[in-house]
Amino acid sequence: MSDTPYQHLRDLPAHHILGTGTPMCAGCGGLATLHQVYDILGEKCVIINAAGCMTLLSVYPCTPFHGSWLYTAMASAPAGAQGVRDGLDILKKKGRLSREEDLEVVVLTGDGSANGMGLSATSGAMDRNLDFLYLCYDNEGYGNTGQQYSAATPHAARTATSKGSLGYPGYKKDLFAIWAAHNPGYVATVVAAEPLDLARKIERARGLSGPRLILALAPCPTGWDFEPSASVEIGKLAVATGIWPLKEYVDGRVTHTKIPHPRLEVRDYLKAQGRFAHLFAPRENRKMIAEIQARVDRYWQKVD
Amino acid sequence: MYRIRFHGRGGQGMKTAGRILGTAFFLAGFEVQDAPRYGAERRGAPIFAYVRASRNPIFERGIISRPDLIIVADDHLPAMPGSGVLAGAGEQTVFLIYSNEEASLWQERLNLQGSVFTLPPLAENELRFRGAACAGGAAALLAELDVELLAEAVREEIDPLGSELVADNLEVALAAYAALAVNRGTVHEGGPVSAIDYASPDWLKLPCEETLLSAPAIHAPATSEMSQTGLWRSERPLIDESRCKRCWWICSTFCPDGAIQVDEERRPHIDYGHCKGCMVCLNQCPTHAITAVPEEEAAAQGEKP
Amino acid sequence: MNRKLLTGNGAAAWGARLARIDYLPAFPITPQTEIIETLSNWIEGQELECRMVTLESEHSMLTAAGAAAVTGVRVFTATSSQGLLYAAEMLYTVAGWRVPLVLVNVSRGLSSPITLEPDHNDVLAMRDCGFLQLHCATCQEVLDNLLIAYRLAEHPRVRLPVLVNLDGFYLSFTREPVQIPSQREVDRFLPPFEAGSISFRGGEPLSEGVTVLEGSAYSYFRYQAHLASLEGIAVYEELGQEFAKLFGWDYSALECYCSEDAEIVLVMIGSFATKAKEAVDRLRETGRKIGLVRPRLVRPFPVAALRQALAGKKGVAVIDQNLSPGKGGILHGELASVLYGTPEAPAVLASFVGGLGGRDISSEEFFEIHKVVQRAVATGITPEPQLLYTEEELRSLRKMQSVARAVRSNQGGGA
C-alpha cells in the first residue's frame, strides 16, 4: 500500500467532485463512501446502478454526476456493466472512441442487490472476467424500503421485519468470501470512517483489471437508529471492535489492512445503535452479546 | 403438391433425409417446405420429418395429414403405439419401408391400400447412412427427381456435416435410387382439401371441470412404465447364465433405465419392455456374460421380449 | 440475390449478419438456440465481425443488450417464451431508455403446463412494454423484417427497440426458399447507425434510466414513447416502399389477401396465417367471398389501416393463437376496440381461439369458421367464442387423465 499517492490524511483529495443536493438521508454512510470513491476515480466513469437508496441520486432532471450514469434494475447491474464495457470496447476497436473518451465501468448497488437478487449476475460477470469495479454500500438491510432485513443484516439486529426480542435470527452473508471464491482481480472492505484506507484501496483497485469489489460498510442513521452526527463514530467503532475487518484480497491472498489492537468490546458498537437496543433493555441479554463477541473473537483468532 | 413424410427414430437421420429430398426438389425448381418434428424425447424415440413440394407457392404448414408418400426408416415403428406412421394414409399413399421383408407382407400386415415398396439395408454400418438411403429411395419414386439432382442434394446437405462423409452417403443414396428406379413416377401429387364436401370438425363446448381433473397434475406413481421404450431398441442384450457370476449389482446398478432387476438368487433379469438397448450392461459386466444380438435375430430365435 | 432453403432461425441469423450487428448478448433456449449457434459459428469463422457474450440469464442478456445500445453500437439478441418473460422487466426498462436494438422472439407457449410448441402468449405478454412488434408469417419475412427493424428502431422519429416475432417449429425449424440479398444491396438499404446523442463517453455526461418521481413528468415520458411508437406505422410504410424499390417486393403494416371484395374476413397474425390463405384460395374456388387481413405490426397497431380494410365487411373472424384466461382471445379484444363506433364496422366480429401450444389448425377448420361466420351474418347473431378443440381430442385427453390418476398394481416393479 506504500505505492499509492495516499500516504497521509493530508494527501486525500481536497476538492470534491460529486454534486451536492442529493436526496440521501443526512449522515448517510453510503453517500460518504461514494463521494470519497468518486473523488479518486474522477468523472471519467459510468456508474451502473441497481435498485436501492442510491437509485434516487439521479432524479430527473437532477444528477450529482459529472460523468455518466445508467440505472438498470435490481437484479442485473453487472450485466449492464457487461453491455457498456463491451459496447465501449467495440467502439474503441472500430476507432469510434478514443482512449481519452474511454470510461471506467462502475457498478453501484446496495447490499440487497449485491447479496441477493444481483448475485447471479455478479457471479456471471466474474465468470466472464469482466473488467469492472463494483461498489457495494452495505447498510445491512433493504434501506430504501424502510430497512427490512436482507442477507447482509447482522445477527440480532432489529429491522422492520425482525422486531422481536431476539432481532434478526440469521447471520450476515460473507460476500467478501463469495467474491474471493471466484478468484477476481480485487476484493476489499472499506468504511468511510477510515478514509485513508479507503483511498489507498480505490487507488489500488484502479490499477488492477478484471472484476473488483469495494465492499463498504455504510452506517445508516435511519435504518440503524442513531443520530446522523454519529455516522463516522459508528464506522470507527465497527473497525475498532473488529466487527468490520478492513481487508483486501489480491492474487489469492487475503491481507488485513488494519488490525484493531486492542480490540474494543462489541457491546460498545452495539450499544451505540437503536437497532440493538433490545439487547440492553429492559434487561441486558448477556448471552446474546457474548455470542456476538465470541463470533468476532473466533474470526480474529484465525487472523492472528 | 407432393406431401411426403419420413418416419424414423432419433439418430436415424430423418432430418437429413427430409432435407436431402427437399433440396433435390428445390434444385428441380419446386417451391419447397421441409421440417423435422421432434418432442422432448431423444435418441431412439420416434420422430418424423416432412417435405412439401409444389410448382406454386406453398401456404400449407405443419404436419402433413394426407401424405402421398410415407417413408418408414425403421420397420419396428408401424407397431409402436403413437408413432403415427399410418396417420392419414389412403389409397393414393405410397409406402417405402426400410426392411428385409417382402413388400406384400407389409401390405397385408398393415392393411395398406396404396403401393408398398421395401428397401433392404444396403450397407455395412448402415445406421449412419439410413437417412441418405431413405432419401435416395424416395427420390427414385418421384418422376421429377433424377440421379443428378439427388447427388447434388446429397452433396449440399452432407458437406456441412463433414466433407469426408459425402462419398459414402452418396454411394448409399444412389444405390437406393438404383434399387427402386424401375418404380419411378409411382408417387403422384395429391390435391387440396375440398372446401365443399369436407368433414366438419366436431368442435365441442369444453365444460368446466373440477381441478383434480383439469389441472395438469399426475396423481399416480410411475406411470412412465406404460411407455414401452423397449421398442426403441435395435439390439438386445442377452445374459449368458453360465458366465454370470451373480455379482448381484453391476449390471443392475449401471443400467440407466433401472430395467435390470435381480431376484433372490442374485440372478439379473432384463426388462425387455423397457430396455432401450444402450448396452451399458454389456460394457460393464466383468465376466462378459452379456452379448448383443440384433433384435430381428433375437425375435427369430424365439427370444420373446 | 441468392435464393436458398433456410429455416426461420437461419433467416433470422442471416438478417442479423447482413445488418452488420456489432454486439450479440445471448442465452440459449428452445426453439431459438439455432440463431445464436449460427451467428457464433460465423463469428468464429471470421465471416462476421461481432462480439458475442453469453450471459447467465435472459434478464441479464436484455440488460447487457440495452446497456450496449446506450453506447451507440448496433445490438442484436434473441430469445423465446420463458426467456422473454424472464427478461420482461428489462424489456420495459430498455424501451424507456429510447435506444435502438432488435430482439428476435421465437414464439413458444408459456408454462404452465410447460411446452416447446408455439403460440403467441409469450410475445403478447410483452405487448405493452414499448418495444415495437413485427410478426412474421414466412421465413422470407423474418430476414426482411430484421433489416427493416433496424431502420425502424434507429429512425429518429421512433428510437424504440423492435421485437421481430416468428413462430417456433412452424417457422423456426421449417425450411422455405428465402431470397438472401447481397451485403452490398443491404448496405444501400441499411447504412451504419449514426448514434448521435446516444453515447457514453468521457467528456459527454449522460445519465440514462433516471428516476422520475412525479406522475406528471412520468406521464409525459411514457406517452412520448407511445407517440414515437405510433410514428412507427408511417415509418414502416415508408421503409416498406423503399425496400420494394431495392429488392422488388414491398412490406406494409397489413397484409391484405383477397380482402378487398370479401364479405367475410379472417384476421390473424403469425405463420398460421398462411394456412388461412390456403383456405381462402380453396373457398374462393367455390365462389365464397372471403379474404384475410394479417397485421404485420402488432405494436404499433395499424388502427386506421385495419378500419379501412374491414369497413363494410359483413363478418370478421378473429383467430387468436393465444388466450387471456378470464377474457379470451387478445386480438379479438384489440379488433373490437379498433372497430367499435366506426360507421362501417362489421356487424359480426366472431372470436375463435386455436393453435394453443402448437395445436394444428386444419383446412377443414378454416372452412368451418367461414361457415359459422356466414351463418352469423345471415342470422345477425354473433356466435359465442369457440375454442378449436374436437370431440376426438377430448377423448384422447380422457385417456391421459385416466393414466394420470391410475391406481397401479406393480409400482416400480417393471414389466
Side-chain angles (χ1 to χ4, degrees):
Chain A
M1 300 269 277
S2 54
D3 53 345
T4 79
Y6 303 107
Q7 298 294 326
H8 309 284
L9 285 166
R10 62 170 183 271
D11 298 330
L12 293 172
H15 177 62
H16 305 301
I17 61 171
L18 187 71
T20 51
T22 69
M24 297 298 106
C25 300
C28 174
L31 187 62
T33 311
L34 179 64
H35 103 79
Q36 291 182 23
V37 170
Y38 203 51
D39 283 346
I40 292 160
L41 287 180
E43 61 192 45
K44 269 211 268 182
C45 61
V46 49
I47 310 271
I48 314 289
N49 178 236
C53 295
M54 299 259 179
T55 299
L56 297 179
L57 283 175
S58 293
V59 180
Y60 192 83
C62 299
T63 179
F65 298 103
H66 290 269
S68 290
W69 163 274
L70 177 68
Y71 168 71
T72 54
M74 191 156 189
S76 58
Q82 181 81 47
V84 172
R85 182 67 268 154
D86 287 339
L88 294 171
D89 287 348
I90 291 164
L91 292 172
K92 272 199 296 186
K93 199 175 160 200
K94 298 202 164 180
R96 287 158 61 191
L97 188 87
S98 70
R99 227 173 159 53
E100 292 68 43
E101 290 173 315
D102 197 10
L103 301 170
E104 171 92 65
V105 179
V106 183
V107 165
L108 174 69
T109 84
D111 54 284
S113 173
N115 288 276
M117 204 191 278
L119 198 48
S120 165
T122 305
S123 180
M126 284 197 269
D127 297 343
R128 299 184 297 269
N129 198 33
L130 178 66
D131 189 22
F132 77 121
L133 190 68
Y134 191 132
L135 173 58
C136 170
Y137 55 98
D138 181 359
N139 65 352
E140 305 191 319
Y142 293 107
N144 201 36
T145 46
Q147 198 70 7
Q148 298 77 25
Y149 63 77
S150 76
T153 299
H155 187 59
R158 185 192 68 212
T159 69
T161 43
S162 59
K163 285 185 167 171
S165 61
L166 300 176
Y168 175 58
Y171 295 89
K172 187 177 177 72
K173 190 182 273 186
D174 191 349
L175 190 62
F176 184 97
I178 291 169
W179 266 73
H182 288 76
N183 198 20
Y186 187 66
V187 190
T189 56
V190 300
V191 62
E194 300 286 350
L196 192 59
D197 179 76
L198 182 147
R200 286 169 170 171
K201 285 173 175 166
I202 301 301
E203 188 61 31
R204 183 148 201 203
R206 276 182 79 181
L208 296 167
S209 63
R212 291 153 287 155
L213 173 70
I214 302 294
L215 179 57
L217 185 71
C220 172
T222 315
W224 297 5
D225 191 8
F226 62 80
E227 284 301 313
S229 61
S231 192
V232 170
E233 212 53 51
I234 301 274
K236 283 184 173 166
L237 275 171
V239 175
T241 56
I243 278 201
W244 187 250
L246 293 174
K247 55 186 173 180
E248 62 184 355
Y249 164 99
V250 190
D251 290 336
R253 282 191 56 197
V254 176
T255 312
H256 284 76
T257 54
K258 183 157 191 161
I259 296 176
H261 191 74
R263 253 189 298 119
L264 302 183
E265 287 184 25
V266 295
R267 58 179 295 124
D268 297 347
Y269 174 72
L270 302 174
K271 202 157 187 187
Q273 303 168 56
R275 63 174 171 158
F276 296 110
H278 55 287
L279 300 183
F280 300 94
R283 219 172 304 108
E284 186 163 314
N285 189 339
R286 288 207 181 115
K287 192 174 157 223
M288 191 166 269
I289 296 168
E291 191 197 320
I292 295 168
Q293 182 68 57
R295 286 180 77 89
V296 172
D297 291 347
R298 264 206 305 283
Y299 176 89
W300 287 100
Q301 266 163 23
K302 279 188 277 174
V303 174
D304 294 337
Chain B
M1 189 189 306
Y2 283 112
R3 299 174 181 86
I4 299 165
R5 247 179 19 217
F6 287 88
H7 288 267
R9 310 186 202 205
Q12 289 178 340
M14 289 305 97
K15 180 179 169 186
T16 306
R19 287 176 68 119
I20 291 171
L21 200 67
T23 295
F25 269 120
F26 184 63
L27 295 169
F30 278 77
E31 294 298 308
V32 172
Q33 187 190 78
D34 67 53
R37 199 74 186 181
Y38 31 72
E41 284 165 327
R42 307 299 159 105
R43 179 165 285 271
I47 71 151
F48 64 96
Y50 57 82
V51 180
R52 287 188 173 89
S54 169
R55 294 290 180 186
N56 300 312
I58 298 170
F59 291 150
E60 286 184 15
R61 275 190 191 284
I63 296 164
I64 287 170
S65 49
R66 290 167 201 81
D68 307 310
L69 171 61
I70 293 175
I71 300 102
V72 186
D74 185 308
D75 64 3
H76 295 94
L77 284 176
M80 280 176 79
S83 72
V85 169
L86 302 178
E91 284 169 25
Q92 84 293 352
T93 310
V94 176
F95 273 81
L96 174 59
I97 304 174
Y98 193 80
S99 173
N100 272 316
E101 291 182 294
E102 291 291 319
S104 55
L105 219 129
W106 282 107
Q107 186 127 36
E108 196 179 327
R109 191 182 287 158
L110 301 177
N111 191 23
L112 303 175
Q113 296 159 280
S115 311
V116 180
F117 302 99
T118 54
L119 184 62
L122 296 162
E124 287 285 311
N125 196 9
E126 57 81 32
L127 191 60
R128 288 176 61 205
F129 307 114
R130 206 179 281 195
C134 289
L141 302 176
L142 296 155
E144 290 86 348
L145 301 184
D146 58 30
V147 174
E148 285 72 33
L149 288 168
L150 173 66
E152 204 180 332
V154 170
R155 275 186 219 108
E156 203 166 296
E157 291 303 326
I158 301 296
D159 193 60
L161 308 177
S163 51
E164 71 285 359
L165 301 171
V166 173
D168 287 344
N169 275 283
L170 203 52
E171 193 184 321
V172 171
L174 295 183
Y177 189 96
L180 287 159
V182 290
N183 306 302
R184 198 156 170 210
T186 310
V187 179
H188 298 287
E189 295 188 57
V193 188
S194 164
I196 298 171
D197 51 354
Y198 65 91
S200 283
D202 52 348
W203 292 333
L204 51 78
K205 193 169 156 56
L206 206 55
C208 182
E209 302 184 316
E210 56 160 339
T211 318
L212 182 62
L213 207 62
S214 64
I218 301 166
H219 296 273
T223 44
S224 66
E225 289 174 5
M226 297 177 70
S227 280
Q228 294 294 301
T229 47
L231 294 166
W232 295 15
R233 195 175 57 234
S234 56
E235 286 192 313
R236 183 181 303 187
L238 290 176
I239 300 171
D240 179 350
E241 295 253 358
S242 67
R243 298 187 77 107
C244 173
K245 293 282 185 265
R246 302 195 193 173
C247 71
W248 71 262
W249 70 273
I250 293 179
C251 59
S252 76
T253 304
F254 287 130
C255 172
D257 286 274
I260 303 179
Q261 297 289 342
V262 182
D263 65 19
E264 283 166 3
E265 288 159 359
R266 298 184 172 185
R267 210 175 269 130
H269 299 277
I270 299 176
D271 166 9
Y272 290 115
H274 296 97
C275 162
K276 292 172 184 159
C278 70
M279 301 300 161
V280 164
C281 55
L282 180 148
N283 273 337
Q284 293 303 318
C285 177
T287 60
H288 309 292
I290 303 177
T291 51
V293 182
E295 236 358 79
E296 290 82 0
E297 217 173 284
Q301 287 170 7
E303 299 277 357
K304 286 212 174 108
Chain C
M1 197 84 79
N2 174 16
R3 197 158 187 263
K4 261 185 83 168
L5 286 177
L6 283 185
T7 60
N9 281 343
W14 266 104
R17 171 180 171 153
L18 290 167
R20 295 187 186 272
I21 56 167
D22 294 312
Y23 189 45
L24 168 65
F27 193 81
I29 183 170
T30 301
Q32 166 278 127
T33 311
E34 185 190 357
I35 300 174
I36 58 166
E37 281 180 355
T38 305
L39 288 167
S40 117
N41 287 339
W42 285 336
I43 293 168
E44 277 178 15
Q46 295 182 327
E47 291 173 74
L48 173 63
E49 198 191 335
C50 172
R51 181 178 290 227
M52 171 176 163
V53 59
T54 301
L55 279 296
E56 70 292 332
S57 74
E58 291 89 352
H59 187 278
S60 281
M61 179 184 88
L62 248 297
T63 308
V70 184
T71 69
V73 299
R74 189 172 277 165
V75 181
F76 173 79
T77 188
T79 189
S80 179
S81 183
Q82 306 303 126
L84 187 72
L85 262 70
Y86 197 67
E89 179 189 27
M90 295 318 296
L91 267 86
Y92 274 78
T93 303
V94 168
W97 295 350
R98 301 294 305 274
V99 290
L101 65 88
V102 174
L103 163 68
V104 161
N105 182 61
V106 184
S107 262
R108 167 181 148 188
L110 289 169
S111 181
S112 217
I114 190 158
T115 187
L116 295 171
E117 300 225 14
D119 66 35
H120 296 143
N121 262 106
D122 58 353
V123 63
L124 291 178
M126 289 298 100
R127 186 189 61 178
D128 305 333
C129 68
F131 273 58
L132 276 56
Q133 288 195 4
L134 305 183
H135 288 246
C136 305
T138 65
C139 296
Q140 183 71 56
E141 276 197 17
V142 173
L143 194 160
D144 298 346
N145 267 324
L146 253 164
L147 304 177
I148 296 174
Y150 276 102
R151 286 289 302 279
L152 197 54
E154 292 168 3
H155 198 283
R157 272 152 66 199
V158 180
R159 285 290 159 94
L160 281 166
V162 177
L163 184 157
V164 176
N165 201 69
L166 61 134
D167 292 332
F169 289 81
Y170 291 88
L171 286 183
S172 73
F173 299 157
T174 300
R175 291 201 311 175
E176 293 177 343
V178 175
Q179 299 269 16
I180 307 175
S182 71
Q183 187 67 61
R184 208 160 42 86
E185 290 170 301
V186 172
D187 288 347
R188 272 190 294 169
F189 179 72
L190 179 62
F193 177 44
E194 292 300 332
S197 64
I198 300 173
S199 96
F200 277 141
R201 59 181 65 212
E204 287 178 29
L206 167 66
S207 288
E208 184 65 272
V210 301
T211 311
V212 173
L213 281 180
E214 177 242 343
S216 162
Y218 183 91
S219 304
Y220 171 83
F221 291 121
R222 186 86 172 126
Y223 209 78
Q224 281 297 322
H226 168 57
L227 295 172
S229 180
L230 289 178
E231 285 291 309
I233 298 171
V235 173
Y236 186 83
E237 298 292 351
E238 288 163 28
L239 293 171
Q241 293 307 310
E242 191 182 330
F243 188 93
K245 274 190 207 127
L246 286 166
F247 300 100
W249 58 95
D250 67 349
Y251 281 95
S252 180
L254 287 188
E255 183 194 18
C256 296
Y257 186 74
C258 302
S259 66
E260 208 156 302
D261 68 336
E263 292 173 354
I264 291 172
V265 173
L266 307 173
V267 176
M268 60 193 306
I269 55 173
S271 66
F272 274 30
T274 69
K275 292 156 85 83
K277 278 164 91 164
E278 168 73 18
V280 166
D281 282 355
R282 298 288 80 79
L283 285 161
R284 282 267 167 183
E285 282 167 7
T286 68
R288 306 315 206 304
K289 289 195 162 181
I290 182 168
L292 167 79
V293 167
R294 174 176 69 91
R296 285 194 181 93
L297 280 181
V298 167
R299 282 295 177 272
F301 205 43
V303 171
L306 279 165
R307 278 183 186 148
Q308 199 187 338
L310 299 177
K313 303 302 172 197
K314 290 184 175 165
V316 171
V318 184
I319 303 166
D320 270 291
Q321 207 179 345
N322 65 75
L323 183 66
S324 173
K327 174 61 172 70
I330 294 169
L331 280 178
H332 181 256
E334 297 260 296
L335 254 290
S337 78
V338 164
L339 296 173
Y340 184 81
T342 59
E344 288 189 278
V348 173
L349 183 65
S351 170
F352 297 85
V353 172
L356 299 183
R359 189 262 193 202
D360 203 6
I361 301 180
S362 66
S363 292
E364 289 90 337
E365 290 186 298
F366 284 107
F367 302 154
E368 192 72 5
I369 287 169
H370 171 264
K371 194 187 278 177
V372 169
V373 176
Q374 205 175 32
R375 200 183 306 136
V377 167
T379 59
I381 302 166
T382 296
E384 289 288 302
Q386 176 68 53
L387 174 71
L388 305 190
Y389 195 80
T390 62
E391 297 278 1
E392 192 189 335
E393 286 177 279
L394 187 61
R395 277 195 293 279
S396 114
L397 188 90
R398 290 293 186 232
K399 273 190 209 158
M400 291 194 216
Q401 283 173 322
S402 69
V403 171
R405 300 180 62 191
V407 178
R408 306 191 59 234
S409 51
N410 58 341
Q411 291 169 15

